[in-house]
Amino acid sequence: MPVDFLSDEQVARYRRFRGEVSAAELEQFFRLDVKALEVLAGKRRPAAKLGWGGRWGTVRMLGTFLADGPLDVPSEVMEFVAAQLDVDPACAPEYLTRPKTAYEHAWEIRDLLQLVEFSKHEYEVRDYLAARVWSTVEGPRALFDRAVVHMLGAGILLPAGITTLTRLISEVRGRESARLYRTLAERAGPQLRSALAGLLQVPEGGRVSELERLRTPPRKASGRVMTAELLRVAEIGALGAGAVPVEPVPAVKMAALARYGLASKAPTLRDLEGDRQAATLLATVRHLGGSSIDDALDVLDVLITSNLLARAERAGKAEQLRTFPKLRKAARTMASAVEVLMSAPEATADRLVSLVEVWKAIDAAAEWRAELVKRYRTVQGFIELLLEVIGFRAVEAGADVLAMVREAATMAKSRRRYGPGDMSRHDHLITGSWRPLVYRNPDLPPGQIDKAAFVLCAVMHLHQALRRRDVFAEGSDRWSDPRARLLEGKAWEQARAKVLTSLELESEPAAHLAELANALEGAYVRVLDGLGANTAVQFTGGRLRVEKLGAAEEPPLMKEFRTLVDAMLPRVDFPELLLEVFDRTGLSADFTHISGADSPMEDFATSLCALVVAEACNVGLVPIEKPNVPALTRARLLQVDQGYLRAETIAAANARLISAQADLDIVGTWGGGHIASADGLRFVVPVQNLHTGHNPIYFGRQRGATWLNVVNDQVMGIGGLVVPGTLRDSLFILDAICYLDGGRKPETVVTDTASYSDIVSGLFAICGYQFSPRIADLGDTRLWRINARAVYGPLDHMSRHVIRLDRIRAHWGDMLRVAGSLTMGTVRAYDLIRMLSADGRTTGLGEAFAHYGRIFKTLHLLQYISDSGYRRMIGTQLNVQEARHRLARKIAFGNRGQLRQRYREGMEDQLGTLGLALNAVVWWNSLYLDAAVKHLRAQGFPATDDMCARLSPIQYDHINFLGRYAFTRADLAAGLRPFHAGLDTQG
């Protein structure tokens, strides 16, 4: 029967007790209530009372009546029930002296609890499973657990045979999947189905299928690539998949089908049954419609930023050096320019040429902008196509820019000559050094504008507007309008109460702002009152300086304690460590196939661990694969890699590890998970990859990417994402915090100084986080005040600027809507920050968030000045992050620590796997540190919690990451591995 999809653990715990029953479970299921005690009052024999009470709790916990009654119940259960009834638990065997008693009690309990047989309510379970299958992507194992929990809650007794339930799950999944495929195939129609099927064919003379060509993203940016990407957008759009109405199919199912279609090879898709093939290809092409627009605009962004702007700037600087080889000559030129400017009469149309001379003499930007115009051919080749295939829309602030770009596209293909009068409606956008380039090209006849300069000016404005999201692309994800993703209307009304409750905010801000004003004033007073006793704070020349903290004093015997514990950690090869982690935690269950199915592979965990080693250690498959080991053959590893190892499964595995580690006793001494830090680890990417960036400090002459990861105070990585190049971390940190893999939601977020900004502080604060960046130089830091007349003594010169509460009040409703949208995941913080403030322009809502953030920033700074414990907490957490980064470098040693993934998804999967490997090491170390401490305590060593808090699970001298990749399992039945120092434990 179909039980192969269940794990051994699921089979073992079905209708049975597994291990000890916890105190919480005893209270929840076996605490006799009033009705049960009333029934028991009528029982005479102690054994009957005890047996009835045990069966009453058992059916509530397991959903079934055990055949042998109290004899199958753990002893702690019977003792708990016996204590409530004041009977001897040793009388339990007497319960079975009359076999019919057990049946009578089962009927009595069933009626009392209003339980029903599965056979009579199978339809209800079937309907529940059908709804889950239709609306989620849960695999059969998860559905099995869901079904059991549902039946327990609904009072439906579990069927006696496990195959009854597994058969039902298989039937429902098959039927609902067929309905899904049939619905989408019918919506597609025969013509589109035929076109989609044609994508799986390899054209004559080609090497890959048409689908493979369309789903391959770009790796570099150039004018030719930009044109090719726009043609790809047009080709995908011409198929018409985006116009097919797919309701009522849930978006999550469409995403799952698209994920399968994007990851599967063309031959695999060709072998699918007709309706399933059509549905999968429809979802895949619809997804490609949006992702191809994202890719094209990513190319445009890199093309303008790295190719056009950067090259023009370099050429402009070279020209400046050629023109002004000596400082003295440059000074003379500047003096002449100023003299021309001061002696020029009032500007008129006739005097524009003289002003151009002035501008050329004093505006250095003219050089590189002039070089930029020389690259007009690059833009001319695609600007018309750009507007044809991508549906751009604009908010009010970007409407003029979009109109200018459309004018530029028309101009680029026209041979007509344009004069200044033709550009009057765009004149307000042709500013600064663009004006002489557009209006006064000496190589053109007077009164004729420079077409190339105008087109380049329009494209630059488009680029800036896209980054601000004043202009956005329809159908895009990364370049869409974040305003459209904000909760509004009915959706916001339904979510408002929940959001306000979770964030502890109110619709009217008066009380909240008054409370913050009092808190800020109180913080100033506390700092000023403590300045006399705070010897770490000094004012030198009016500048504030805080002395660095020294090393914290360690408890007595700490050195000996650390030496003993470190020596006890078993020596182990990295693959063996991973296998032990997978086996002890059941991590393999989180790696489901892209189709939603669970793996039936034998020795599946070994294949997964091998892939983790290959990806995390950055060594590839060659050192890992073993032709004579079925789980380690190249074909098997490629199959598992393509089907099971991806962002969602890695996140699920991380969540399991985070939860398992938090249950270890020693972990509580490190922290409660309330504090987290976010920082970036930089990687050079020497291959062509569009989602990388230049930074000579970190990457030299090459390009690279940043892995921004979040670590809690229990030393576990709880989230992360990949950032191109070294863009400001502050643009991405809130997204990383909002989309955690697992663990407790942190209350305090620690970062370094680079993540410091007022708007970011405001967004963190309104979402319920305390944003605590480390301050590099307090002397240059600005404090803010609400009370303009207050006197803050030596802090007066730092706190001259006033927070405008009126601006917060005016935008409070929108601020709440933004907070709700962020916490519910409908909008990305990155897009919002770019929208609220970009290129030196801050919106009204951005100003409101900035003033709101200044309150919390100042509170943070004042606490940072006055509280050494607060400063030490920030430093300690950042040290934890840095230690994890050192371990990451130790693990990812292959290829000189450089990433060689050519696409964004590849980098995300590889760095996600590295994060999983880091968490596996931390969990394993935590497990053995906990066991070692308990062993030493049992031997009489006075190990206190304060001493345990100073132990670190980020150790690796006892782990071999190099040279040997043997996957040998630990004997779990024998307990933990023996300690290295010859000590042993069975716990």
Side-chain angles (χ1 to χ4, degrees), residues 729-800:
D729 291 350
S730 60
L731 297 176
F732 299 92
I733 288 176
L734 190 52
D735 283 327
I737 294 292
C738 288
Y739 299 98
L740 298 177
D741 293 340
R744 185 191 300 271
K745 174 185 173 181
E747 298 173 3
T748 301
V749 179
V750 176
T751 68
D752 60 17
T753 307
S755 303
Y756 201 22
S757 91
D758 295 342
I759 290 180
V760 170
S761 295
L763 287 170
F764 267 95
I766 204 166
C767 290
Y769 301 101
Q770 178 176 332
F771 189 49
S772 301
R774 177 168 55 187
I775 310 303
D777 187 0
L778 278 169
D780 294 329
T781 300
R782 177 183 295 178
L783 299 176
W784 292 76
R785 62 170 69 203
I786 292 176
N787 185 353
R789 299 180 179 179
V791 177
Y792 297 135
L795 298 179
D796 260 341
H797 71 287
M798 298 177 62
S799 56
R800 296 171 182 170

Side-chain angles (χ1 to χ4, degrees), residues 26-99:
L26 289 173
E27 287 292 336
Q28 180 180 357
F29 298 110
F30 292 93
R31 175 65 66 182
L32 299 168
D33 59 19
V34 175
K35 291 183 178 180
L37 292 173
E38 288 177 355
V39 174
L40 285 169
K43 310 295 181 187
R44 291 179 297 174
R45 292 189 305 130
K49 291 184 176 184
L50 184 60
W52 191 98
R55 290 172 73 80
W56 177 85
T58 298
V59 75
R60 297 174 72 222
M61 181 175 178
L62 302 182
T64 188
F65 292 103
L66 300 181
D68 290 337
L71 300 184
D72 287 339
V73 177
S75 58
E76 62 267 20
V77 169
M78 299 314 298
E79 292 171 359
F80 184 78
V81 175
Q84 296 177 73
L85 298 174
D86 195 22
V87 299
D88 185 0
C91 69
E94 301 176 15
Y95 180 74
L96 298 179
T97 55
R98 180 174 178 267

Side-chain angles (χ1 to χ4, degrees), residues 280-331:
T280 303
L281 291 175
L282 175 64
T284 302
V285 174
R286 284 175 64 91
H287 173 83
L288 287 174
S291 65
S292 63
I293 295 175
D294 282 337
D295 292 337
L297 293 179
D298 287 342
V299 171
L300 179 66
D301 181 44
V302 175
L303 178 64
I304 293 175
T305 304
S306 299
N307 292 20
L308 297 182
L309 290 180
R311 289 181 182 178
E313 186 172 5
R314 288 194 297 270
K317 289 180 178 179
E319 178 64 18
Q320 279 185 291
L321 292 175
R322 186 187 67 80
T323 307
F324 304 120
K326 297 180 180 179
L327 180 61
R328 181 178 300 176
K329 183 178 178 180

Side-chain angles (χ1 to χ4, degrees), residues 46 507 522 587:
S507 298
L587 219 57

Side-chain angles (χ1 to χ4, degrees), residues 59 65 109-117 155-157:
V59 75
F65 292 103
I109 293 169
R110 185 183 58 188
D111 293 341
L112 178 66
L113 298 177
Q114 298 182 341
L115 303 177
V116 295
E117 295 292 338
I156 301 174
L157 294 172

